[in-house]
Amino acid sequence: MPAPNVIPLNLTSLKAACSQCNLRELCLPYGLTEDEVAQLDNLVGARRKLKRGQHLYRAGDPFEALYAIKIGFFKTDILLEDGRDQVTGFQMAGEILGMDGIGTEVHTCNSIALEDSEICVIPFPQLEHLSREIRALQHHFHKVMSREIVRDHGVMMLLGTMRAEERLAAFLLNLSQRFTARGYSPQEFHLRMTREEIGSYLGLKLETVSRAFSRFQEEGLISVHQKHIRILDNAGLKKLLSHQPG
Amino acid sequence: MPAPNVIPLNLTSLKAACSQCNLRELCLPYGLTEDEVAQLDNLVGARRKLKRGQHLYRAGDPFEALYAIKIGFFKTDILLEDGRDQVTGFQMAGEILGMDGIGTEVHTCNSIALEDSEICVIPFPQLEHLSREIRALQHHFHKVMSREIVRDHGVMMLLGTMRAEERLAAFLLNLSQRFTARGYSPQEFHLRMTREEIGSYLGLKLETVSRAFSRFQEEGLISVHQKHIRILDNAGLKKLLSHQPG
DNA sequence: CGCAGTTTTGATTCATCTCAATTTGTGTGG
DNA sequence: CCACACAAATTGAGATGAATCAAAACTGCG
């Protein structure tokens, strides 16, 4: 029988957003002490479930919170008035969505679930408040934002200097590496997005993406069955990246 | 004769990095009270002058500080092992450099002065310290980072979906708008970078950039004499952007 | 004044896009 | 459980925008 000052386990875990979460080390609580994570628990209010295809937020929505992906897979995209659009990123469990909205207090892109997903709502004013108290949280949040900038630079590099097959190889290697960090197989995974979405992200048409997949398969680099990808020759894909254009 | 508690003006202005700076409203001190700006003054230690062509930092350098441009013009670029490189941005007075280094504690790109320049060094640990005390500083810094992310998304859009002339038009309009915000003419300005650097930023070859300039001139949209640009038809440039590809 | 770096312009090539047809896969309702 | 409709993916042929290669003109710096 527990002592009166011991809170029954299931009662805490109901509230505990972060302290019981297995993504802790990939997400915002990284590097915090137990006590500090407990403070984050109080901040991370609601969870929200999204069905595949549902918007988490839309361009133009007022910015109020960041979102940590607990389960699922998202894309962000920008839609121009003339109908052109571009996928700006794909996000998976442990990654933070919504930082685009801080600067203007309005979201500048759309965030859409590519599979049934669940996210944790992190109200931004409260995150800033807690960041002023917890140094490690502040610093880690800055790192998360900075890494997003560096990631974007990588995409600029890809779009600005790489040819179609190099882009796709870089994309696959990046996904593989992120799946690995989440405990999934580096060689085998399921694409959650269509060829068109991949193309939009990589600045290519869907036919070009499809042709590149076929070519990789012919060359024995990967095997493709629809959205199921198996990487057969990791080194071969990497080699594609380090070759001169032309 | 001044009262004893009045500090002579030239003594304060010697130390005052931000409070006497005319870029205050474009830069980090935006939105701070006088007292708060005075606290920033203590933080912003050294100024540093750079000659044209000099590096402010290089990829691989340990990250220690952010830099605010006081005078001058910079580019940032990434160099891949295989020799490919990409200009990731051009920065002018009032803008903040170095945020790429926060995430990994190492700079991930090179920052190079495109003209003789002067920057203010903002040691990062001290900026984080002061951000924990000054809410407005914390919030504004978050906005600055977020805007960098949104800017990068714009470049991704440009590289992913626009044709050569659209990219160049977008580039010129962006420069024009930023010069305007700094009190310079929106119609007339001097490019600080070469055609090759513009091309690298826009994902084009220098010949393509040159041809697009010539075409704009033929069509009466701008006049070009080497690096001197005069925008003759702002609306015409804007119209170029809102047209479907193909 | 001469030379190196930059820019312009032309001719040709090539990667990717476009258009089109077909195949494959997925979800729904009878 | 199967059939149907619709969405996604593959593949081919031809068009096209930008790259490449090449040469000439211009600029500015020592």
Side-chain angles (χ1 to χ4, degrees):
Chain A
M1 198 184 187
N5 62 340
V6 174
I7 300 158
L9 197 71
N10 58 347
L11 206 87
T12 39
S13 59
L14 275 175
K15 284 202 71 175
C18 299
S19 51
Q20 303 296 319
C21 180
N22 56 350
L23 293 164
R24 208 165 46 251
E25 292 305 299
L26 279 169
C27 193
L28 218 50
Y30 176 85
L32 301 200
T33 66
E34 251 182 65
D35 282 358
E36 291 168 341
V37 177
Q39 289 183 265
L40 248 193
D41 282 343
N42 295 324
L43 190 161
V44 177
R47 293 258 181 80
R48 206 172 125 197
K49 294 193 180 193
L50 290 104
K51 285 272 164 206
R52 183 183 153 178
Q54 242 185 305
H55 283 249
L56 173 56
Y57 54 80
R58 289 166 197 271
D61 285 354
F63 167 74
E64 284 154 0
L66 298 180
Y67 307 97
I69 303 176
K70 180 145 183 67
I71 302 166
F73 205 93
F74 286 76
K75 71 167 177 181
T76 45
D77 69 13
I78 302 178
L79 182 64
L80 255 50
E81 323 75 55
D82 58 22
R84 278 188 281 205
D85 70 339
Q86 167 102 0
V87 170
T88 55
F90 296 107
Q91 298 83 20
M92 52 180 82
E95 296 178 338
I96 306 292
L97 280 160
M99 296 180 292
D100 58 279
I102 300 170
T104 54
E105 320 214 336
V106 160
H107 284 292
T108 60
C109 62
N110 304 294
S111 174
I112 299 143
L114 293 181
E115 60 181 28
D116 293 357
S117 301
E118 196 175 328
I119 53 88
C120 304
V121 180
I122 308 164
F124 191 63
Q126 292 166 54
L127 177 64
E128 284 194 330
H129 181 84
L130 199 56
S131 283
R132 271 178 267 123
E133 320 232 297
I134 305 176
R135 233 179 106 114
L137 176 63
Q138 177 199 38
H139 190 57
H140 188 243
F141 174 56
H142 291 163
K143 287 192 167 196
V144 168
M145 290 205 96
S146 170
R147 284 195 202 118
E148 178 66 18
I149 291 171
V150 172
R151 185 195 70 85
D152 291 346
H153 288 175
V155 178
M156 287 166 59
M157 187 86 208
L158 179 146
L159 292 170
T161 73
M162 290 188 186
R163 320 234 261 76
E165 294 189 4
E166 296 175 313
R167 295 184 199 185
L168 190 64
F171 174 70
L172 290 175
L173 290 169
N174 175 267
L175 278 186
S176 164
Q177 181 234 304
R178 285 155 74 199
F179 280 126
T180 309
R182 281 155 187 82
Y184 301 110
S185 166
Q187 291 96 30
E188 208 168 350
F189 48 85
H190 215 81
L191 298 173
R192 269 74 170 184
M193 68 297 278
T194 66
R195 301 290 191 262
E196 187 168 21
E197 286 163 333
I198 296 172
S200 173
Y201 181 60
L202 300 178
L204 302 169
K205 291 294 156 182
L206 68 99
E207 295 95 328
T208 306
V209 173
S210 179
R211 275 186 250 271
F213 271 130
S214 301
R215 197 134 197 289
F216 285 177
Q217 188 157 237
E218 281 167 32
E219 289 168 354
L221 295 169
I222 62 174
S223 88
V224 195
H225 292 101
Q226 295 293 126
K227 296 193 158 144
H228 186 97
I229 302 285
R230 179 195 278 269
I231 296 181
L232 303 172
D233 182 1
N234 201 284
L237 284 177
K238 274 190 184 137
K239 206 157 59 178
L240 266 182
L241 290 183
S242 49
H243 275 314
Q244 289 289 33
Chain B
M1 197 184 187
N5 60 342
V6 173
I7 301 157
L9 198 69
N10 57 349
L11 207 89
T12 38
S13 59
L14 275 175
K15 282 204 66 172
C18 300
S19 52
Q20 303 295 320
C21 178
N22 57 351
L23 293 164
R24 211 163 44 250
E25 292 303 302
L26 279 168
C27 195
L28 218 52
Y30 176 85
L32 302 199
T33 66
E34 252 181 66
D35 283 358
E36 291 168 342
V37 176
Q39 291 183 262
L40 248 194
D41 282 341
N42 294 325
L43 189 161
V44 176
R47 292 259 181 80
R48 205 172 128 196
K49 294 194 181 195
L50 289 105
K51 287 273 164 205
R52 181 182 154 180
Q54 240 185 306
H55 283 249
L56 173 56
Y57 55 80
R58 290 168 196 269
D61 284 356
F63 167 73
E64 284 154 2
L66 299 181
Y67 308 95
I69 304 176
K70 179 143 185 69
I71 301 165
F73 204 94
F74 287 76
K75 72 168 177 181
T76 44
D77 69 13
I78 303 177
L79 181 66
L80 254 51
E81 321 77 54
D82 57 22
R84 280 188 280 205
D85 70 337
Q86 167 101 1
V87 171
T88 55
F90 296 108
Q91 298 83 22
M92 52 179 80
E95 296 177 338
I96 306 293
L97 279 160
M99 297 181 291
D100 58 279
I102 301 170
T104 54
E105 320 212 335
V106 160
H107 284 290
T108 59
C109 62
N110 303 296
S111 175
I112 299 142
L114 293 181
E115 60 182 29
D116 292 358
S117 300
E118 196 176 328
I119 53 89
C120 304
V121 180
I122 308 164
F124 192 64
Q126 292 166 54
L127 178 64
E128 285 194 329
H129 181 85
L130 200 57
S131 284
R132 272 178 265 123
E133 320 232 297
I134 305 177
R135 233 179 106 116
L137 176 64
Q138 176 197 40
H139 191 57
H140 187 244
F141 174 56
H142 291 161
K143 286 192 169 198
V144 168
M145 290 207 97
S146 169
R147 284 194 201 117
E148 178 66 18
I149 291 170
V150 172
R151 185 195 71 84
D152 291 345
H153 289 174
V155 177
M156 286 167 60
M157 187 86 208
L158 179 146
L159 292 170
T161 73
M162 291 188 186
R163 320 231 265 78
E165 295 189 4
E166 297 175 314
R167 295 184 199 185
L168 190 65
F171 173 71
L172 291 175
L173 290 169
N174 175 268
L175 278 186
S176 165
Q177 180 234 302
R178 285 155 74 199
F179 280 126
T180 310
R182 281 154 188 81
Y184 300 110
S185 165
Q187 290 95 31
E188 209 168 350
F189 47 85
H190 215 81
L191 297 174
R192 270 75 169 183
M193 68 297 279
T194 66
R195 301 288 190 263
E196 187 168 19
E197 287 164 333
I198 297 172
S200 173
Y201 182 59
L202 299 178
L204 302 170
K205 291 292 157 184
L206 67 99
E207 296 95 326
T208 306
V209 173
S210 178
R211 275 184 248 272
F213 270 130
S214 301
R215 197 133 199 287
F216 285 177
Q217 188 156 237
E218 281 168 30
E219 289 168 353
L221 294 168
I222 63 175
S223 89
V224 195
H225 292 100
Q226 295 292 125
K227 296 195 158 141
H228 186 96
I229 302 285
R230 181 192 277 272
I231 295 180
L232 303 172
D233 182 0
N234 200 285
L237 283 177
K238 276 192 181 135
K239 207 156 59 179
L240 267 183
L241 290 183
S242 47
H243 275 314
Q244 289 292 33

